[in-house]
Short mmCIF file of all heavy atoms in Angstrom, two decimals:
data_model
loop_
_atom_site.label_atom_id
_atom_site.label_comp_id
_atom_site.label_asym_id
_atom_site.label_seq_id
_atom_site.Cartn_x
_atom_site.Cartn_y
_atom_site.Cartn_z
N GLU A 437 -6.32 100.36 -26.63
CA GLU A 437 -7.73 100.44 -26.36
C GLU A 437 -8.37 101.54 -27.30
O GLU A 437 -9.48 101.33 -27.74
CB GLU A 437 -7.90 100.96 -24.84
CG GLU A 437 -7.63 99.83 -23.83
CD GLU A 437 -7.63 100.28 -22.40
OE1 GLU A 437 -7.94 101.52 -22.24
OE2 GLU A 437 -7.28 99.50 -21.52
N GLY A 438 -7.59 102.62 -27.45
CA GLY A 438 -8.06 103.66 -28.36
C GLY A 438 -8.25 103.21 -29.77
O GLY A 438 -9.26 103.47 -30.43
N LEU A 439 -7.26 102.37 -30.25
CA LEU A 439 -7.40 101.74 -31.56
C LEU A 439 -8.57 100.86 -31.72
O LEU A 439 -9.34 100.87 -32.73
CB LEU A 439 -6.17 101.06 -31.89
CG LEU A 439 -4.87 101.90 -32.23
CD1 LEU A 439 -3.66 100.98 -32.43
CD2 LEU A 439 -5.17 102.72 -33.49
N VAL A 440 -8.88 100.07 -30.66
CA VAL A 440 -10.00 99.28 -30.71
C VAL A 440 -11.34 100.02 -30.74
O VAL A 440 -12.24 99.77 -31.61
CB VAL A 440 -9.99 98.29 -29.49
CG1 VAL A 440 -11.35 97.52 -29.38
CG2 VAL A 440 -8.90 97.29 -29.64
N ASP A 441 -11.37 101.04 -29.95
CA ASP A 441 -12.58 101.98 -29.95
C ASP A 441 -12.77 102.58 -31.34
O ASP A 441 -13.86 102.68 -31.91
CB ASP A 441 -12.44 102.99 -28.90
CG ASP A 441 -12.54 102.52 -27.52
OD1 ASP A 441 -13.07 101.34 -27.29
OD2 ASP A 441 -12.19 103.21 -26.52
N ILE A 442 -11.68 103.07 -31.96
CA ILE A 442 -11.71 103.66 -33.30
C ILE A 442 -12.16 102.65 -34.32
O ILE A 442 -12.99 102.95 -35.13
CB ILE A 442 -10.39 104.34 -33.66
CG1 ILE A 442 -10.17 105.63 -32.79
CG2 ILE A 442 -10.37 104.71 -35.15
CD1 ILE A 442 -8.69 106.12 -32.96
N LYS A 443 -11.56 101.51 -34.21
CA LYS A 443 -11.96 100.44 -35.14
C LYS A 443 -13.46 100.18 -35.10
O LYS A 443 -14.15 100.06 -36.11
CB LYS A 443 -11.14 99.19 -34.92
CG LYS A 443 -11.46 98.11 -35.88
CD LYS A 443 -10.65 96.80 -35.60
CE LYS A 443 -11.07 95.67 -36.52
NZ LYS A 443 -10.39 94.50 -36.19
N LEU A 444 -13.97 99.97 -33.87
CA LEU A 444 -15.44 99.66 -33.74
C LEU A 444 -16.26 100.88 -34.23
O LEU A 444 -17.25 100.64 -34.94
CB LEU A 444 -15.68 99.44 -32.27
CG LEU A 444 -15.12 98.13 -31.70
CD1 LEU A 444 -15.36 98.08 -30.16
CD2 LEU A 444 -15.73 96.96 -32.34
N THR A 445 -15.83 102.01 -34.00
CA THR A 445 -16.53 103.17 -34.49
C THR A 445 -16.54 103.27 -36.00
O THR A 445 -17.59 103.52 -36.59
CB THR A 445 -15.94 104.51 -33.81
OG1 THR A 445 -15.99 104.42 -32.44
CG2 THR A 445 -16.66 105.77 -34.41
N VAL A 446 -15.42 103.01 -36.54
CA VAL A 446 -15.33 103.05 -38.01
C VAL A 446 -16.17 101.89 -38.61
O VAL A 446 -16.88 102.15 -39.60
CB VAL A 446 -13.88 102.92 -38.52
CG1 VAL A 446 -13.75 102.57 -39.98
CG2 VAL A 446 -13.06 104.14 -38.18
N GLU A 447 -16.17 100.72 -38.01
CA GLU A 447 -17.04 99.66 -38.53
C GLU A 447 -18.49 100.02 -38.42
O GLU A 447 -19.23 99.82 -39.38
CB GLU A 447 -16.71 98.37 -37.74
CG GLU A 447 -15.35 97.73 -38.08
CD GLU A 447 -15.01 96.58 -37.14
OE1 GLU A 447 -15.77 96.31 -36.21
OE2 GLU A 447 -14.01 95.94 -37.46
N ARG A 448 -18.86 100.63 -37.28
CA ARG A 448 -20.28 101.03 -37.15
C ARG A 448 -20.58 102.09 -38.18
O ARG A 448 -21.64 102.03 -38.80
CB ARG A 448 -20.55 101.52 -35.71
CG ARG A 448 -20.64 100.39 -34.73
CD ARG A 448 -21.15 100.97 -33.44
NE ARG A 448 -20.23 101.86 -32.80
CZ ARG A 448 -19.46 101.59 -31.85
NH1 ARG A 448 -19.48 100.36 -31.28
NH2 ARG A 448 -18.63 102.44 -31.33
N GLN A 449 -19.71 103.04 -38.36
CA GLN A 449 -19.96 104.13 -39.40
C GLN A 449 -20.04 103.56 -40.78
O GLN A 449 -20.83 103.98 -41.54
CB GLN A 449 -18.92 105.22 -39.27
CG GLN A 449 -19.11 106.10 -38.02
CD GLN A 449 -18.11 107.22 -37.94
OE1 GLN A 449 -17.10 107.20 -38.61
NE2 GLN A 449 -18.47 108.18 -37.13
N MET A 450 -19.21 102.63 -41.08
CA MET A 450 -19.26 102.05 -42.39
C MET A 450 -20.59 101.30 -42.60
O MET A 450 -21.19 101.39 -43.72
CB MET A 450 -18.05 101.09 -42.57
CG MET A 450 -16.67 101.82 -42.64
SD MET A 450 -16.58 102.94 -44.02
CE MET A 450 -16.36 101.86 -45.33
N ALA A 451 -21.01 100.58 -41.59
CA ALA A 451 -22.32 99.89 -41.76
C ALA A 451 -23.43 100.85 -41.93
O ALA A 451 -24.28 100.68 -42.74
CB ALA A 451 -22.53 98.99 -40.48
N VAL A 452 -23.44 101.99 -41.15
CA VAL A 452 -24.41 103.02 -41.25
C VAL A 452 -24.34 103.66 -42.66
O VAL A 452 -25.34 103.90 -43.33
CB VAL A 452 -24.19 104.08 -40.15
CG1 VAL A 452 -25.06 105.33 -40.44
CG2 VAL A 452 -24.63 103.56 -38.87
N ALA A 453 -23.11 103.93 -43.13
CA ALA A 453 -22.92 104.43 -44.45
C ALA A 453 -23.43 103.59 -45.57
O ALA A 453 -24.08 104.01 -46.50
CB ALA A 453 -21.44 104.80 -44.72
N GLU A 454 -23.24 102.29 -45.39
CA GLU A 454 -23.74 101.27 -46.43
C GLU A 454 -25.22 101.32 -46.42
O GLU A 454 -25.86 101.39 -47.52
CB GLU A 454 -23.22 99.89 -46.12
CG GLU A 454 -21.71 99.75 -46.44
CD GLU A 454 -21.22 98.33 -45.98
OE1 GLU A 454 -22.04 97.51 -45.67
OE2 GLU A 454 -20.02 98.25 -46.03
N ARG A 455 -25.86 101.31 -45.24
CA ARG A 455 -27.35 101.36 -45.15
C ARG A 455 -27.83 102.70 -45.76
O ARG A 455 -28.82 102.78 -46.51
CB ARG A 455 -27.90 101.23 -43.70
CG ARG A 455 -27.68 99.75 -43.27
CD ARG A 455 -28.47 99.59 -41.96
NE ARG A 455 -28.12 100.48 -40.85
CZ ARG A 455 -27.11 100.40 -40.01
NH1 ARG A 455 -26.38 99.32 -40.14
NH2 ARG A 455 -26.92 101.21 -39.04
N GLN A 456 -27.17 103.76 -45.47
CA GLN A 456 -27.58 105.12 -45.98
C GLN A 456 -27.37 105.04 -47.47
O GLN A 456 -28.24 105.71 -48.22
CB GLN A 456 -26.79 106.16 -45.28
CG GLN A 456 -27.17 106.42 -43.91
CD GLN A 456 -26.36 107.43 -43.19
OE1 GLN A 456 -25.21 107.82 -43.60
NE2 GLN A 456 -26.86 108.05 -42.16
N ALA A 457 -26.30 104.48 -47.95
CA ALA A 457 -26.09 104.49 -49.39
C ALA A 457 -27.28 103.73 -50.12
O ALA A 457 -27.75 104.18 -51.15
CB ALA A 457 -24.76 103.74 -49.79
N GLU A 458 -27.71 102.66 -49.52
CA GLU A 458 -28.86 101.90 -50.11
C GLU A 458 -30.11 102.91 -50.09
O GLU A 458 -30.86 102.86 -51.07
CB GLU A 458 -29.12 100.66 -49.35
CG GLU A 458 -28.02 99.58 -49.46
CD GLU A 458 -28.17 98.43 -48.47
OE1 GLU A 458 -29.11 98.45 -47.58
OE2 GLU A 458 -27.25 97.56 -48.48
N THR A 459 -30.37 103.54 -49.04
CA THR A 459 -31.43 104.46 -48.93
C THR A 459 -31.29 105.56 -49.95
O THR A 459 -32.30 106.00 -50.60
CB THR A 459 -31.60 105.01 -47.48
OG1 THR A 459 -31.68 103.94 -46.64
CG2 THR A 459 -32.75 105.93 -47.34
N VAL A 460 -30.02 106.06 -50.09
CA VAL A 460 -29.82 107.16 -51.02
C VAL A 460 -30.13 106.72 -52.43
O VAL A 460 -30.74 107.48 -53.19
CB VAL A 460 -28.35 107.67 -50.83
CG1 VAL A 460 -27.99 108.52 -52.02
CG2 VAL A 460 -28.19 108.38 -49.58
N ASP A 461 -29.66 105.52 -52.78
CA ASP A 461 -29.95 105.02 -54.10
C ASP A 461 -31.46 105.09 -54.40
O ASP A 461 -31.92 105.57 -55.46
CB ASP A 461 -29.41 103.63 -54.34
CG ASP A 461 -27.90 103.57 -54.42
OD1 ASP A 461 -27.35 104.69 -54.77
OD2 ASP A 461 -27.33 102.53 -54.24
N ARG A 462 -32.26 104.64 -53.41
CA ARG A 462 -33.75 104.66 -53.64
C ARG A 462 -34.26 106.10 -53.71
O ARG A 462 -35.09 106.39 -54.60
CB ARG A 462 -34.38 103.96 -52.51
CG ARG A 462 -35.90 103.93 -52.56
CD ARG A 462 -36.48 103.15 -51.40
NE ARG A 462 -36.10 103.53 -50.12
CZ ARG A 462 -36.54 104.62 -49.46
NH1 ARG A 462 -37.47 105.40 -49.98
NH2 ARG A 462 -36.03 104.88 -48.22
N LEU A 463 -33.73 106.99 -52.83
CA LEU A 463 -34.21 108.38 -52.79
C LEU A 463 -33.74 109.12 -54.08
O LEU A 463 -34.40 110.01 -54.55
CB LEU A 463 -33.73 109.02 -51.57
CG LEU A 463 -34.42 108.52 -50.30
CD1 LEU A 463 -33.81 109.21 -49.03
CD2 LEU A 463 -35.93 108.74 -50.26
N LEU A 464 -32.53 108.83 -54.51
CA LEU A 464 -32.01 109.50 -55.68
C LEU A 464 -32.90 109.26 -56.92
O LEU A 464 -33.14 110.17 -57.70
CB LEU A 464 -30.62 109.07 -55.99
CG LEU A 464 -29.55 109.68 -55.17
CD1 LEU A 464 -28.15 109.11 -55.50
CD2 LEU A 464 -29.56 111.22 -55.28
N ARG A 465 -33.43 108.06 -56.97
CA ARG A 465 -34.41 107.80 -58.04
C ARG A 465 -35.65 108.66 -57.96
O ARG A 465 -36.33 108.96 -58.91
CB ARG A 465 -34.68 106.29 -58.03
CG ARG A 465 -33.65 105.38 -58.55
CD ARG A 465 -34.03 103.98 -58.62
NE ARG A 465 -34.58 103.34 -57.42
CZ ARG A 465 -33.78 102.64 -56.58
NH1 ARG A 465 -32.43 102.42 -56.89
NH2 ARG A 465 -34.26 102.11 -55.52
N GLU A 466 -35.92 109.14 -56.73
CA GLU A 466 -37.05 110.02 -56.60
C GLU A 466 -36.57 111.52 -56.63
O GLU A 466 -37.35 112.41 -56.33
CB GLU A 466 -37.58 109.76 -55.19
CG GLU A 466 -38.23 108.29 -55.09
CD GLU A 466 -38.59 107.89 -53.65
OE1 GLU A 466 -38.65 108.75 -52.82
OE2 GLU A 466 -38.89 106.72 -53.49
N GLY A 467 -35.32 111.80 -56.83
CA GLY A 467 -34.78 113.13 -57.09
C GLY A 467 -34.19 113.79 -55.83
O GLY A 467 -34.19 115.05 -55.75
N LEU A 468 -33.63 113.09 -54.85
CA LEU A 468 -33.10 113.68 -53.65
C LEU A 468 -31.58 113.54 -53.62
O LEU A 468 -30.91 112.83 -52.83
CB LEU A 468 -33.74 113.03 -52.41
CG LEU A 468 -35.20 113.21 -52.25
CD1 LEU A 468 -35.79 112.39 -51.12
CD2 LEU A 468 -35.61 114.62 -52.15
N ALA A 469 -30.94 114.27 -54.58
CA ALA A 469 -29.44 114.19 -54.71
C ALA A 469 -28.68 114.72 -53.49
O ALA A 469 -27.63 114.27 -53.25
CB ALA A 469 -29.07 114.87 -55.97
N ASP A 470 -29.24 115.64 -52.72
CA ASP A 470 -28.47 116.17 -51.60
C ASP A 470 -28.18 115.17 -50.52
O ASP A 470 -27.15 115.28 -49.86
CB ASP A 470 -29.31 117.37 -51.04
CG ASP A 470 -30.68 117.05 -50.55
OD1 ASP A 470 -31.25 116.16 -51.18
OD2 ASP A 470 -31.12 117.68 -49.61
N ILE A 471 -29.02 114.14 -50.36
CA ILE A 471 -28.71 113.13 -49.39
C ILE A 471 -27.50 112.33 -49.87
O ILE A 471 -26.72 111.92 -48.98
CB ILE A 471 -29.99 112.18 -49.20
CG1 ILE A 471 -31.11 113.01 -48.61
CG2 ILE A 471 -29.57 110.98 -48.41
CD1 ILE A 471 -32.39 112.29 -48.50
N LYS A 472 -27.30 112.07 -51.09
CA LYS A 472 -26.19 111.32 -51.54
C LYS A 472 -24.89 112.06 -51.19
O LYS A 472 -23.93 111.44 -50.79
CB LYS A 472 -26.21 111.16 -53.04
CG LYS A 472 -25.00 110.39 -53.62
CD LYS A 472 -25.04 110.18 -55.09
CE LYS A 472 -23.91 109.51 -55.49
NZ LYS A 472 -23.71 109.36 -56.99
N LEU A 473 -24.92 113.39 -51.33
CA LEU A 473 -23.77 114.20 -50.90
C LEU A 473 -23.37 113.98 -49.46
O LEU A 473 -22.23 113.81 -49.14
CB LEU A 473 -23.97 115.67 -51.28
CG LEU A 473 -22.88 116.61 -50.92
CD1 LEU A 473 -21.61 116.32 -51.72
CD2 LEU A 473 -23.33 118.07 -51.26
N THR A 474 -24.47 113.99 -48.67
CA THR A 474 -24.20 113.78 -47.19
C THR A 474 -23.57 112.41 -46.89
O THR A 474 -22.59 112.30 -46.16
CB THR A 474 -25.57 113.87 -46.38
OG1 THR A 474 -26.06 115.19 -46.61
CG2 THR A 474 -25.39 113.65 -44.93
N VAL A 475 -24.10 111.42 -47.60
CA VAL A 475 -23.51 110.07 -47.41
C VAL A 475 -22.08 110.02 -47.87
O VAL A 475 -21.17 109.38 -47.29
CB VAL A 475 -24.35 109.02 -48.07
CG1 VAL A 475 -23.64 107.63 -48.09
CG2 VAL A 475 -25.72 108.95 -47.33
N GLU A 476 -21.81 110.68 -49.08
CA GLU A 476 -20.43 110.66 -49.58
C GLU A 476 -19.47 111.33 -48.52
O GLU A 476 -18.39 110.91 -48.37
CB GLU A 476 -20.41 111.36 -50.90
CG GLU A 476 -21.01 110.52 -52.02
CD GLU A 476 -21.23 111.33 -53.32
OE1 GLU A 476 -21.12 112.49 -53.34
OE2 GLU A 476 -21.56 110.65 -54.33
N ARG A 477 -19.96 112.44 -47.92
CA ARG A 477 -19.19 113.07 -46.93
C ARG A 477 -18.88 112.12 -45.74
O ARG A 477 -17.83 112.16 -45.18
CB ARG A 477 -19.87 114.38 -46.49
CG ARG A 477 -19.79 115.46 -47.50
CD ARG A 477 -20.52 116.71 -47.06
NE ARG A 477 -20.50 117.71 -48.10
CZ ARG A 477 -21.32 118.72 -48.15
NH1 ARG A 477 -22.27 118.87 -47.26
NH2 ARG A 477 -21.27 119.59 -49.12
N GLN A 478 -19.91 111.41 -45.30
CA GLN A 478 -19.68 110.50 -44.20
C GLN A 478 -18.79 109.40 -44.56
O GLN A 478 -17.99 108.93 -43.70
CB GLN A 478 -21.08 109.92 -43.80
CG GLN A 478 -22.02 110.90 -43.10
CD GLN A 478 -23.34 110.34 -42.76
OE1 GLN A 478 -23.84 109.43 -43.40
NE2 GLN A 478 -23.97 110.92 -41.80
N VAL A 479 -18.75 108.97 -45.78
CA VAL A 479 -17.81 107.93 -46.23
C VAL A 479 -16.39 108.50 -46.19
O VAL A 479 -15.46 107.79 -45.73
CB VAL A 479 -18.14 107.42 -47.60
CG1 VAL A 479 -17.02 106.57 -48.22
CG2 VAL A 479 -19.43 106.59 -47.56
N VAL A 480 -16.24 109.73 -46.56
CA VAL A 480 -14.94 110.46 -46.53
C VAL A 480 -14.46 110.50 -45.08
O VAL A 480 -13.30 110.22 -44.77
CB VAL A 480 -14.95 111.79 -47.15
CG1 VAL A 480 -13.74 112.59 -46.85
CG2 VAL A 480 -15.22 111.65 -48.68
N VAL A 481 -15.39 110.84 -44.13
CA VAL A 481 -15.10 110.91 -42.72
C VAL A 481 -14.61 109.53 -42.22
O VAL A 481 -13.60 109.41 -41.52
CB VAL A 481 -16.23 111.51 -41.87
CG1 VAL A 481 -15.97 111.29 -40.37
CG2 VAL A 481 -16.44 112.94 -42.25
N ALA A 482 -15.40 108.50 -42.59
CA ALA A 482 -15.02 107.11 -42.16
C ALA A 482 -13.65 106.68 -42.73
O ALA A 482 -12.85 106.07 -42.02
CB ALA A 482 -16.08 106.16 -42.64
N GLU A 483 -13.39 107.11 -43.95
CA GLU A 483 -12.01 106.74 -44.57
C GLU A 483 -10.89 107.50 -43.80
O GLU A 483 -9.86 106.94 -43.51
CB GLU A 483 -12.04 107.12 -46.01
CG GLU A 483 -12.90 106.19 -46.85
CD GLU A 483 -13.08 106.67 -48.35
OE1 GLU A 483 -12.80 107.84 -48.62
OE2 GLU A 483 -13.63 105.86 -49.10
N ARG A 484 -11.19 108.75 -43.47
CA ARG A 484 -10.20 109.53 -42.70
C ARG A 484 -9.97 108.85 -41.32
O ARG A 484 -8.82 108.82 -40.89
CB ARG A 484 -10.62 110.94 -42.60
CG ARG A 484 -10.52 111.76 -43.88
CD ARG A 484 -10.85 113.19 -43.67
NE ARG A 484 -10.82 113.96 -44.90
CZ ARG A 484 -11.47 115.01 -45.18
NH1 ARG A 484 -12.22 115.59 -44.25
NH2 ARG A 484 -11.37 115.60 -46.34
#
């Protein structure tokens, strides 16, 4: 049960991270590099 919960959480976080990455790409073009770092950290957390 715990593994299923973790898997669902990771899947949700990966989906969120992907959406955020898309947003980051747009914002980076506008000069907001600090958001990219946040998303990269979230991806690292999801990978862990």
Side-chain angles (χ1 to χ4, degrees):
E437 289 172 5
L439 286 173
V440 168
D441 291 343
I442 289 171
K443 180 181 179 186
L444 292 173
T445 300
V446 168
E447 288 173 353
R448 283 190 294 259
Q449 286 183 341
M450 293 300 286
V452 168
E454 287 174 12
R455 287 193 306 274
Q456 287 176 339
E458 292 168 1
T459 302
V460 166
D461 285 340
R462 181 180 48 83
L463 293 174
L464 282 176
R465 289 187 297 266
E466 298 170 9
L468 299 174
D470 58 329
I471 294 174
K472 181 180 179 187
L473 179 61
T474 300
V475 171
E476 288 170 349
R477 288 178 181 159
Q478 288 176 336
V479 168
V480 168
V481 168
E483 288 170 349
R484 287 182 184 158

